[in-house]
């Protein structure tokens, strides 16, 4: 059917074309009432007030502060737990999980790439504040403030250990997911991280069947694998992990010194506790690692290039998520179905395209170009993530104590009570009962946070 | 002494690197925040339907992340003809012009019909019942004045980053509007 035929058909059949909207309506002049009837006013219920948004920010900052205090000063798992329950109720069920930093990287990306979009101030603060705190105190946001983390944390009943190779392999996923989110936000104005968030449908108590199923899947897995979303998917967690790798203070299991009694070894449900690694006795031991490091460093650019190429190739099909591109493609489809008798949303969209094919097609072409450009970057990012992960495997840490891994530790505080020194500090154990090799200490006073935070150096 | 220096050397180097990276990260974050400030506008944006573009397709009822949808039918009273036979209220060829459910177009009987004076009736939407299906809007648009139209109700809307109806809207009717003017209302009769 020709283009003119189609639009004529549309006009006759449904009269729905936007251009004729105004002309078609307004058929009967409004009455003049003899009874003096007053017209009701159309109500316009306002959106959430600005002060309420600022209140959210205040709650966030307060919770972040409390989380740091509970983890570093009080060293109390119970306080952290109560704080996370509060956050779950407030940020989760009350604010419907929709005021959270997890999706914020997308807002920021869209803000940079789409001049028409303004990043809301609240989103900017929610993005920056937890990262800033993580640079000083590690992932205390994850411990007590994030509703997603709290939900998974509370569900955990019987943690199983994830094998190290699997954990290492899966740990690149959050970075890739982050890249995906930024890619779609920048190129297609889409928010995939929000769309596929597994827990938000539960906070809202409504959602599509697919997402409810995925969410239920995550909830079941959360009972046996500690925080699966946090460890293997959360894009914001990826950023927090990076920040806490270089944080000023760190969570330590023991309040003062480690006797290597190994009581805490299995206490972390997230597999974050690392055992001491003595420095190599013979420098030659490091030689194979060095060789591998050199190899990977040389291979890194090649890896990035290969993935960038792949990214560019997958960008074209990915562009179809954009409604305009999808519309244009369907519009160009030679086998496009004849319009049905009763107009469907899809046929209505095609009709709209019929009225202004040129602008739909040029807009779609522009978006596709943007996708293919972003595809290079996205692919390069994936290559970089995998490369850096491989490189990091070659580095050999030196540790004198049992310590949580800086990046992997959620600062939940579960391990504290497993340490006999902590029990001594709390007066639950007398110093003479201490296991281990070192002489018992008598001072049980809590140690200042600056002190506890400092990693022990080799003696 | 020399011994000790050798064993502690890698640790200090790591610490040094860490401190350096932290300072770099802080500077980066600060610069980033600065850049961001230039992107910030004091006005938050919210989603709204442009009634002139809406094609009354029904997706507003099904695509919203909320069930029932945050989109509701809204009535521009000044535009309404107060017709006795309201084509937004009655099914085509109703048995009788009364409020019996089988005569009503609205699947949830959300429209209240009230006699004002002969021959005029007032139609009001009960938003607690309305599901935003747009059936009445279509009826009013086709044969009436178009005084019924759909709007995102901001007391209900979560202001999703990406409105999931906007993604599916065949009319491209959704757009972000400044929060100070969160509605795109039809107002009054303009010609004739
Ligand atoms: S990793 Fe992500 S989901 Fe988990 S607690 Fe941290 S921010 Fe929340
Ligand atoms: S989805 Fe768009 S066209 Fe369909 S009823 Fe809603 S606003 Fe109107
Ligand atoms: S017909 Fe649909 S849009 Fe109109 S009042 Fe009823 S539920 Fe609301
Ligand atoms: S922004 Fe979200 S809550 Fe509001 S109408 Fe769109 S989908 Fe519904």
């Amino acid at each position: 059917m020709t283009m003119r035929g189609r639009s004529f058909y549309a006009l006759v059949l449904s009269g729905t074309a936007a251009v004729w909207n105004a002309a078609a309506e307004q058929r009967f002049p409004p009455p003049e009432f003899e009874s003096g009837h007053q017209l009701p006013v159309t109500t316009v219920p306002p959106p959430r007030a600005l002060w309420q948004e600022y209140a959210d920010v205040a709650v966030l900052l307060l919770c972040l502060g409390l989380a740091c205090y509970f983890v570093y000063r009080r060293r109390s798992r119970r306080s952290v737990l109560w704080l996370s329950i509060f956050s779950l109720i407030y940020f989760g069920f009350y604010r419907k999980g929709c005021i959270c930093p997890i999706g914020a990287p997308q807002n920021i990306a869209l803000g940079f790439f789409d001049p028409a979009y303004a990043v809301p101030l609240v989103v900017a603060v929610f993005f920056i504040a937890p990262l800033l705190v993580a640079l000083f105190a590690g992932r205390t946001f994850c411990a007590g403030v994030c509703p997603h983390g709290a939900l998974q944390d509370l569900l955990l009943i019987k943690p199983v250990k994830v094998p190290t190779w699997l954990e290492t392999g899966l740990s690149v996923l959050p970075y890739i997911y982050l890249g995906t989110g930024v890619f779609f936000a920048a190129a297609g104005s889409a928010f995939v991280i929000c769309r596929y968030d597994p827990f938000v449908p539960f906070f809202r108590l409504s959602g599509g069947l697919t997402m409810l199923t995925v969410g239920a899947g995550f909830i079941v897995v959360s009972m046996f694998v500690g925080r699966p979303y946090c460890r293997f998917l959360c894009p914001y967690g990826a950023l927090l992990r990076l920040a806490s790798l270089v944080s000023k203070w760190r969570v330590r299991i023991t309040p003062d010194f480690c006797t290597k009694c190994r009581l805490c070894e299995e206490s972390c449900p997230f597999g974050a506790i690392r055992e001491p690694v003595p420095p190599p006795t013979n420098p030659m031991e490091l030689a194979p690692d060095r060789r591998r490091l050199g190899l990977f460093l040389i291979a890194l650019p090649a890896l990035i290039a290969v993935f960038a190429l792949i990214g560019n190739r997958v960008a074209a099909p990915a562009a179809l998520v954009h409604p305009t591109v999808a519309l244009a493609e369907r519009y160009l489809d030679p086998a496009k179905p004849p319009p049905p008798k009763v107009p469907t949303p899809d046929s209505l969209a095609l009709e709209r395209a019929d009225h202004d094919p040129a602008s739909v097609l040029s807009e779609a072409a522009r978006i596709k170009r943007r996708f293919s450009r972003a595809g290079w970057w996205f692919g390069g990012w994936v290559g970089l993530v995998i490369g850096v992960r491989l490189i990091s495997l070659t580095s050999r840490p030196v540790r004198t104590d049992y310590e949580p891994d800086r990046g992997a530790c959620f600062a939940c505080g579960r391990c504290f009570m497993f340490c006999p020194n902590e029990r001594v500090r709390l007066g639950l154990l007398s110093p003479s009962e201490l296991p281990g090799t070192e002489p018992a200490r008598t001072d049980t006073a809590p140690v200042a946070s600056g002190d506890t935070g400092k990693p022990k150096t080799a003696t | 002494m020399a011994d000790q220096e050798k064993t502690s050397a890698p640790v200090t180097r790591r610490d040094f690197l860490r401190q350096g990276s932290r300072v770099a990260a802080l500077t980066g974050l600060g610069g980033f925040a600065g850049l961001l400030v230039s992107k910030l506008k004091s006005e938050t944006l919210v989603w709204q339907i442009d009634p002139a573009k809406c094609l009354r397709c029904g997706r507003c009822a099904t695509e919203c992340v909320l069930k029932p949808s945050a989109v509701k039918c809204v009535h521009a009273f000044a535009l309404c003809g107060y017709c006795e036979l309201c084509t937004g209220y009655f099914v085509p060829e109703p048995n009788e012009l009364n409020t019996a459910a089988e005569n009503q177009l609205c699947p949830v009987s959300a429209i209240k019909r009230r006699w004002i004076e002969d021959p005029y009736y007032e139609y009001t939407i009960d938003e607690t019942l309305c599901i935003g299906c747009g059936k009445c809007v279509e009826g009013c648009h086709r044969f009436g004045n178009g005084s019924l139209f759909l709007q995102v109700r901001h007391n209900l809307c979560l202001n999703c980053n990406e409105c999931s109806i906007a993604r599916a809207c065949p009319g491209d009717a959704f757009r972000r509007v400044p929060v100070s003017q969160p509605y795109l209302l039809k107002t009054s009769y303009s010609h004739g």
Side-chain angles (χ1 to χ4, degrees), chain B residues 16-31:
Chain B
F16 177 74
L17 273 177
R18 183 165 286 139
Q19 208 168 337
S21 325
R22 181 166 65 247
V23 172
L26 274 172
T27 331
L29 208 59

Side-chain angles (χ1 to χ4, degrees), chain A residues 21 25-28 31 34-35 37 39 42-43 45 107 119 191 195 204 206 245-246 345-346 352 396, chain B residues 14 18 22 40 52 65 74-75 82 117 122 141-142 144-145 153 161-162 167 170 183 186 189-190:
Chain A
N21 247 349
E25 296 171 344
Q26 308 205 355
R27 298 178 180 92
F28 313 101
E34 278 155 25
S35 57
H37 173 64
L39 295 187
T42 308
T43 56
N107 298 70
V119 182
F191 286 73
R195 205 184 301 171
R204 287 179 185 146
S206 90
L245 279 178
V246 297
D346 289 336
R352 177 170 61 88
R396 185 193 163 108
Chain B
R14 257 165 219 271
R18 183 165 286 139
R22 181 166 65 247
L40 290 176
V65 295
V74 166
H75 199 176
Y82 281 75
E117 64 179 56
E122 187 166 86
H141 161 81
R142 280 242 224 145
N145 281 0
R153 298 310 255 173
N161 279 330
E162 182 194 22
R167 202 166 64 229
Y183 290 91
K186 288 185 168 183
Y189 204 77
S190 57

Side-chain angles (χ1 to χ4, degrees), chain B residues 87-102:
Chain B
T87 49
Y89 184 81
F90 291 110
V91 291
E93 295 166 35
N95 293 331
E96 269 181 278
L97 296 189
N98 63 20
T99 55
E102 79 263 20

Side-chain angles (χ1 to χ4, degrees), chain A residues 165-176:
Chain A
W165 60 268
L166 191 60
E167 176 111 38
T168 315
L170 291 178
S171 68
V172 295
L173 283 184
Y175 297 97
I176 295 176

